C-alpha cells in the first residue's frame, strides 16, 4: 500500500478483523465453516438429536431400508413415517421390507424416549424426534444387521470421529508447538537434534506404522483406553508438520526488524514471545490445525475400517464402515455404506475448504 | 521529428479488486522514437510498471486494459495496434521478445532458476530464428561477451543463483537483447544494484544502444539515473503522464509543478540547504482526487479551476504538459 | 568530548557446515573498525552492499556481539562504559540512550499492534507509563514527527511508507536518546518522502541535540546530511573525513571510484566527468585478498599493495585514509 487510507473502518481494523474480512471473501470456506460448526453441534448434542441409543437393537427390523419422512397428512402438518410390510422376494428368496401405507407412525418432536445421560451427567429422556411407543420403527437412514437405527449410530459416531480429530490435533499441536518452538527459538544443537528426529519420523511410511502400532493394541483393552491409544498413535505422526511450521515461523520472526526493535525497547524474551511472536503466527497455526484434522479423521476411519482401530461397542464412522463390509450389506443394504461414507466425505471436504480459506486469510497484511 | 516507433494514446489499465477499481494507468500518452531513450520517471505506485506490462500485454489479473491504442511500427513498416491484439495470441507473441524485449527489476523473476543462463538465451534465440543449435550457442556466447560477462564459454553453464547481482542483471540484458529487439523496456534495471555496479550497467546499456540503434523505454524513480541515460523524459503522477519533454528541458526548464517540486526535493551536490519537500503524500490509489490529481499538494493550484481535469496536453516542440497553468 | 568511541571493532560470523556444524571459517563482516562520534554531529557510514555497515551499527547496539574491540560510550554524567564487554543484562540503561531507526518501514513495525502500542512499548517497559499518561506522551511524540495525534489507535497498514518511517522515528525518540543509529533510514523511501524525512531528521537533531550515526549508500543524501563521512570497504574503514573534504578531495582510490559512479541529476554534466568503472565485485568478507583488500579492483595497485595491508593515516587534519599511496595520488572528487 503506497499511501494513506482515509477509510476509518480500515485504519482501526486489528489483526482479527482483517482476518475475518479476508476470510469472508472465500465463499466456499465460509460454507465449510458452517458445515463444520453444524457437525460439531451434532457431535455435542448427539444423545439429544438421536432418536435412539446407538446400540438399541430391534430384531424385527434387521436391515430395514430408510423410511421417507412425510410432513403433511390430509393437508395438515403432521410428520409421520410409514410402517414396514414384509414380503418375500421370489427371485432372491429373501425377506424384503416395503412401506405399509396403512400404518402411519406419527413422529413427535421433543418426544420422551429411551433414557440417556446427557454428556454422561444429566439423566434425560427427551429426544429431538421420537415415536409414541417403544418398538415402533423410525429408521430415517435405515437399520443395520441387528435392527439398530443407523441415524442414531451415525450421530454418535460423529462425536467419536470428530473428537478424535480434535483431541489428536491438540496432542499434535502441543508436541509441535513445544518442539518446533524450542527448535526455532534456541537454534543450534537443539534445533539439529529436533530436526533429525522430525526427519526420522517423517521418513517412516505412515500407514504401515499406524497399522503396526494399532495392531499391537490388545483387543482385551476396554474401549475407552483403545480410543485414547488410537488417538495418540494418530497424533504421533501429525505433530511433525506442525513443528516444522512453528519452527519456520520462529526462525523468520527472530530476525524480523520489529522483534529486534522490541528487544531494543527493553522487552524480555518471554514478553517478546507472548506479545509479538505468538500473535504473529497464531492465525497460521489455526489454519494448519484445521488442515490437519481431516488427516486425523481419515486415519481413524482407515484404521477402524481395516478392523485394527476402534472396536465396537464404540461407534465411529470407521467402525460403521467396517460393519458394512460384507457382500450382503453392499448388495442389499447399501445405506449402511452410504451414510457413514457421506459423513466422512462431508467432514473432510468441509474442513479442507475451511482450512484453505483460513490459510489464505492467515496473513491479512500480505 | 522522425516517425515514432511506438505511440501510446490514452492507455487505461485498471485493476478490478474487491475493494474497488484501482485506476493504475488512467490515460497515458507516450511516444517512443527509434534509437532514443525515453525515461519514464515517477514515484512508487504511479503506474510505471503497469504501463510497461500493458505494452507487452502481460498485466496480472485482476488488471485489464480498458481502453487506448498502442501503435507499434513493425519492421516491414506496417502498423499494429498492440492494444487490440489478444494477450496470448500468436501476433503478440511474435512481437514479444523478438521486436520488444523487457528487463525486469528483479532479475530472478525473469531468469528461470532451474535452467542455465546459456540454455535460456539459446532457447530464446531458437524460438525466433531458424538456425542450428550450435549456431545458437555461438551467438549466445557472443552475446554474453558483449554484455561484459567474463569467460562466457564457461559461464553459459552457470545457473542464475551462481551469479552475483550485477552479473545476473547482465545475463538478463543478454537475454533481452539476444534477438536484437527494436525496443527495449527496462523496468528499474539498476534499482537493486550498488552505485558502482549501476554505473557499469548504465554504461553497458548506452554502449549497446549506440551499436544497435534500438529504442529504450527506461523506467526509474531516480532523477540521477534519468539525467545519465535519457533523451526524452515522461513524468508520471497517479497513472498519468503529467509532462513529457527532452531531458534538458525537464531538468533546466521544467514546467509542470510536480516536476519542479520533484527536482527541488532532491539533495543538490555542494548544497546543505534544507530540502524543499512536497507537502502531503501520494493519495491512496482508491482515493484519487477529482480534477488535477496533484492539486492537493500543488503550491500553484488555482481554486475553482484545478478541481477540474486539466486539458489534454498536445505535444509541441517543447514537449507536453498537463496542467491548467500551461493550457 | 567524544560521545562514542569505537576502537578495533570486529564482528566475525562463523561459517558452519556439515552435520555437526563444525566451524570451517569466518565471515569477517567487520574487521577492525575505529571511529569516534562527537556530540551533536552526524557521522555517515557509506560503502557498497555487504561491506559491513549494518553489522557495525548492530554491534554498537549490541544486537550482535562484537568479536573484539571496544565501544566506549560517555554517559550524560561524564562517566564512560565499554558497551562491547558489559553483560547483556546490564545493557538496558544504555539502550535508552542509544536508539535505532530501521531501514524497512514495513518490517520494523509489528502490523498487529497499534501506533500507541508500538511507540508506547519502550515507555511502558522503561518508565512504567500506562493509560492516559502513556497516550499523552505518544500523542506528543506523534506531533513531533508531524503526524496527527488522532492516529494513535490506527494500525501501521493504514499509513504510507513515509508515515511509517515517521512512526519508527517517533519510537526511536520516545526515551530522549542521545545517539541515534539510522540504518538506511531513508533508502526505501520515494524521492519526495525522502526529502520530508531528511528534513524531519535535521529538525529533530536541532531540537534535541541528537547525534546521528547515519548508515547509507546514497552519496547525495550523505553529502546533504552529514558532518563527517566514513567510507567502508570489506569490513574496514578506508577513509574518514569531513564531508566537504571527502567529496572534493578524496584520498582513497575506492572513494574516488565511488564518487565517480554517483549519477548526477544534471544532463548537461553528462560525459563531463571522468568515469572510473570498478570491475569485479566487492571483496568477499569470507575470503579477503592479501594486502590492501581493494587491490584487485584498484587501478593504482602495485606490488606493495598486494603484499602489505595499509593502515589508516592522517593526510590532512581530520582526514584519514588507508592507502599506501594516499599522499602521492591525485584523486578526483566531485567539485560542485
Ligand atoms: N495485481 C494488482 N492488483 C491490484 N493493484 C495493483 C496490482 N498491480 C499493481 N497494482 C496497483 O497499480 C498501481 C501502479 O503500480 P505499478 O507497479 O505500476 O507502480 P510503479 O510505478 O511501477 O511503482 P514502483 O516504483 O513501486 O515499482 C499501484 O497503486 C498498485 O497498487
Ligand atoms: N548473521 C550473519 N551470518 C553470516 N554472515 C553475515 C551475517 N550477517 C551479515 N553477514 C555478512 O556480513 C557482511 C556484511 O553485512 P552487512 O549487512 O553489515 O552489510 P551492509 O554494508 O549493511 O550491506 P547492505 O548495504 O547490503 O545493507 C556480508 O557479507 C554479509 O553476508
Ligand atoms: S493543474 Fe493546477 S493543481 Fe494541477 S499541477 Fe497545474 S496548477 Fe497544480
Ligand atoms: S593501497 Fe594500493 S591497492 Fe589499496 S587503495 Fe591504495 S593504491 Fe589501491
Ligand atoms: Mg514498478
Ligand atoms: Mg545494511
Amino acid at each position: 500500500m503506497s499511501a494513506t487510507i482515509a477509510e476509518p473502518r480500515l485504519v482501526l481494523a486489528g489483526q482479527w478483523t482483517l482476518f475475518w474480512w479476508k476470510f469472508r471473501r472465500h465463499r466456499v470456506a465460509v460454507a465449510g465453516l458452517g458445515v463444520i460448526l453444524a457437525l460439531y453441534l451434532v457431535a455435542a448434542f448427539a444423545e439429544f438429536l438421536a432418536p435412539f441409543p446407538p446400540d438399541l437393537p430391534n430384531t424385527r427390523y434387521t436391515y430395514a431400508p430408510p423410511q421417507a419422512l412425510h410432513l403433511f397428512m390430509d393437508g395438515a402438518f403432521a410428520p409421520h413415517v410409514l410402517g414396514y410390510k414384509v414380503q418375500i422376494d421370489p427371485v432372491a428368496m429373501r425377506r424384503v421390507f416395503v412401506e405399509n401405507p396403512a400404518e402411519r407412525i406419527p413422529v413427535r418432536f421433543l418426544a420422551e424416549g429411551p433414557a440417556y445421560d446427557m454428556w454422561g451427567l444429566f439423566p434425560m429422556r427427551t429426544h429431538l424426534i421420537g415415536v409414541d411407543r417403544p418398538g415402533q420403527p423410525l429408521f430415517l437412514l435405515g437399520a443395520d444387521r441387528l435392527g439398530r437405527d443407523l441415524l442414531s449410530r451415525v450421530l454418535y459416531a460423529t462425536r467419536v470421529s470428530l473428537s478424535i480429530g480434535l483431541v489428536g490435533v491438540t496432542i499434535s499441536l502441543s508436541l509441535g508447538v513445544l518442539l518446533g518452538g524450542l527448535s526455532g527459538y534456541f537454534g543450534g544443537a537443539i534445533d539439529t537434534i529436533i530436526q533429525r528426529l522430525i526427519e526420522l519420523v517423517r521418513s517412516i511410511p505412515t500407514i504401515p506404522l499406524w497399522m503396526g502400532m494399532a495392531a499391537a493394541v490388545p483387543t482385551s483393552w476396554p474401549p475407552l483406553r483403545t480410543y485414547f491409544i488410537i488417538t495418540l498413535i494418530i497424533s504421533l505422526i501429525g505433530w511433525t508438520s506442525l513443528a516444522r511450521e512453528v519452527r519456520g515461523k520462529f526462525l523468520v520472526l527472530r530476525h524480523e526488524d520489529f522483534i529486534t526493535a522490541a528487544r531494543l525497547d527493553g522487552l524480555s524474551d518471554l514478553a517478546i514471545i507472548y506479545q509479538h511472536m505468538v500473535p504473529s503466527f497464531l492465525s497460521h497455526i489455526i489454519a494448519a490445525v484445521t488442515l490437519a484434522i481431516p488427516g486425523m479423521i481419515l486415519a481413524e476411519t482407515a484404521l477402524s475400517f481395516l478392523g485394527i482401530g476402534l472396536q465396537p461397542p464404540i461407534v465411529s464412522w470407521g467402525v460403521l464402515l467396517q460393519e458394512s463390509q460384507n457382500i450382503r450389506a453392499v448388495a442389499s443394504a447399501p445405506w449402511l455404506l452410504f451414510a457413514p461414507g457421506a459423513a466422512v466425505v462431508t467432514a473432510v471436504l468441509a474442513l479442507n475448504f475451511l482450512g484453505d480459506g483460513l490459510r489464505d486469510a492467515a496473513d491479512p497484511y500480505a | 521529428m522522425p516517425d515514432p516507433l511506438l505511440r501510446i494514446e490514452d492507455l487505461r489499465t485498471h485493476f478490478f479488486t474487491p475493494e474497488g477499481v484501482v485506476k493504475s494507468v488512467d490515460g497515458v500518452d507516450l511516444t517512443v522514437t527509434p534509437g532514443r531513450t525515453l525515461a519514464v520517471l515517477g514515484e512508487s505506485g504511479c503506474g510505471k510498471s503497469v504501463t510497461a506490462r500493458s505494452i507487452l500485454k502481460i498485466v496480472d489479473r485482476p488488471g485489464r486494459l480498458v481502453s487506448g491504442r498502442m501503435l507499434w511500427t513493425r519492421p516491414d513498416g506496417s502498423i499494429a495496434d498492440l492494444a487490440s491484439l489478444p494477450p496470448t495470441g500468436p501476433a503478440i507473441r511474435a512481437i514479444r521478445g523478438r521486436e520488444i524485449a523487457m528487463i525486469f527489476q528483479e532479475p530472478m523473476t525473469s531468469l528461470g532458476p532451474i535452467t542455465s543462463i546459456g540454455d535460456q538465451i539459446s532457447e530464446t534465440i531458437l524460438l525466433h530464428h531458424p538456425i542450428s543449435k550450435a549456431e545458437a550457442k555461438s551467438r549466445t556466447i557472443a552475446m554474453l561477451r558483449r554484455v561484459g560477462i567474463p569467460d562466457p564459454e564457461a559461464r553459459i553453464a552457470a545457473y542464475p543463483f551462481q551469479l552475483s547481482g550485477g552479473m545476473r542483471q547482465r545475463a538478463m540484458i543478454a537475454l533481452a537483447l539476444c534477438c536484437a529487439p527494436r525496443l527495449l523496456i527496462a523496468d528499474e534495471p539498476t534499482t537493486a544494484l550498488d552505485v558502482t555496479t549501476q554505473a557499469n550497467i548504465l554504461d553497458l546499456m548506452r554502449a549497446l544502444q549506440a551499436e544497435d540503434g534500438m529504442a529504450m523505454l527506461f523506467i526509474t524513480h531516480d532523477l540521477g539515473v534519468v539525467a545519465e541515460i535519457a533523451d526524452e523524459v515522461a513524468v508520471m503522477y497517479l497513472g498519468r503522464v503529467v509532462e513529457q519533454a527532452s531531458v534538458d528541458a525537464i531538468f533546466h526548464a521544467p514546467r509542470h509543478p510536480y516536476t519542479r517540486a520533484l527536482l527541488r526535493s532532491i539533495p543538490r551536490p555542494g548544497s546543505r540547504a534544507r530540502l524543499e519537500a512536497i507537502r502531503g503524500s501520494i493519495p491512496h490509489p482508491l482515493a484519487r482526487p477529482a480534477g488535477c490529481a496533484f492539486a492537493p499538494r500543488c503550491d500553484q493550484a488555482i481554486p475553482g479551476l484545478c478541481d477540474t481535469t486539466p486539458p489534454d496536453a498536445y505535444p509541441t516542440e517543447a514537449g507536453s504538459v498537463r496542467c491548467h497553468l500551461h493550457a | 568530548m567524544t560521545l562514542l568511541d569505537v576502537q578495533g571493532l570486529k564482528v566475525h560470523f562463523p561459517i558452519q557446515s556439515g552435520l555437526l556444524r563444525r566451524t570451517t571459517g569466518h565471515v569477517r563482516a567487520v574487521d577492525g573498525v575505529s571511529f569516534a562520534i562527537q556530540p551533536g554531529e552526524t557521522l555517515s557510514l557509506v560503502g557498497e552492499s555487504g561491506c559491513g555497515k549494518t553489522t557495525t551499527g548492530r554491534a554498537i547496539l549490541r544486537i550482535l556481539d562484537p568479536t573484539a574491540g571496544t565501544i566506549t560510550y560517555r554517559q550524560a554524567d561524564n562517566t564512560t562504559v565499554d558497551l562491547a564487554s558489559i553483560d547483556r543484562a546490564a545493557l538496558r540503561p544504555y539502550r535508552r540512550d542509544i536508539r535505532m531507526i530501521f531501514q524497512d518501514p514495513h518490517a520494523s513495525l509489528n502490523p498487529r499492534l497499534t501506533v500507541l502500542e508500538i511507540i508506547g512499548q519502550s515507555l511502558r517497559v522503561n518508565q512504567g507509563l500506562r493509560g492516559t499518561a502513556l497516550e499523552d506522551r505518544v500523542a506528543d511524540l506523534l506531533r513531533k514527527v508531524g503526524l496527527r495525534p488522532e492516529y494513535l489507535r490506527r494500525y501501521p497498514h493504514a499509513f504510507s511508507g513515509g508515515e511509517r518511517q515517521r512512526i519508527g522515528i517517533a519510537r526511536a525518540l520516545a526515551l530522549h536518546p542521545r545517539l541515534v543509529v539510522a540504518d538506511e533510514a531513508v533508502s526505501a523511501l520515494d524521492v519526495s518522502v525522502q526529502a520530508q524525512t531528511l528534513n524531519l531528521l535535521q529538525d529533530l537533531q536541532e531540537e534535541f541535540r541528537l547525534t546521528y550515526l547515519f548508515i547509507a549508500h546514497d552519496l547525495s543524501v550523505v553529502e546533504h546530511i552529514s558532518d563527517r563521512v566514513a567510507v567502508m570497504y570489506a569490513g574496514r574503514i578506508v577513509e574518514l573525513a569531513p564531508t566537504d573534504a571527502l567529496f572534493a578531495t578524496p584520498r582513497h582510490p575506492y572513494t574516488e571510484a565511488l564518487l565517480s559512479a554517483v549519477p548526477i541529476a544534471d544532463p548537461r554534466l553528462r560525459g563531463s566527468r571522468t568515469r572510473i568503472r570498478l570491475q569485479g565485485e566487492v571483496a568477499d568478507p569470507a575470503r579477503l585478498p592479501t594486502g590492501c583488500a581493494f587491490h584487485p579492483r584498484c587501478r593504482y595497485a602495485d606490488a606493495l599493495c598486494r603484499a602489505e595491508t595499509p593502515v589508516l593515516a592522517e593526510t590532512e587534519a581530520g582526514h584519514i585514509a588507508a592507502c599506501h599511496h594516499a599522499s602521492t595520488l591525485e584523486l578526483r572528487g566531485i567539485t560542485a
Side-chain angles (χ1 to χ4, degrees), chain A residues 255, chain B residues 194, chain C residues 13-14 27-30 47-56 64 103 183-184 215 217 232 284-286:
Chain A
H255 298 287
Chain B
D194 271 316
Chain C
F13 297 106
V27 178
R28 305 203 315 233
V30 174
E48 276 172 284
S49 182
C51 70
K53 309 182 292 291
T54 296
T55 309
T56 306
L64 295 167
Q103 164 168 11
D183 187 1
E184 313 261 11
I215 298 174
H217 61 254
M232 280 187 78
D284 178 356

Side-chain angles (χ1 to χ4, degrees), chain B residues 4-9 69-73 79-83:
Chain B
L5 184 64
L6 173 66
R7 191 152 77 215
I8 300 178
E9 290 169 359
R69 297 204 297 166
M70 296 188 285
L71 303 175
W72 169 249
T73 313
I79 294 199
D81 181 7
L82 302 179

Side-chain angles (χ1 to χ4, degrees), chain B residues 11-14 54 57 59 63-68 70 82-83:
Chain B
L11 176 71
R12 287 169 206 268
T13 304
H14 297 176
S54 300
K57 310 288 290 258
V59 179
R64 195 148 45 77
L65 220 96
V66 181
S67 72
M70 296 188 285
L82 302 179

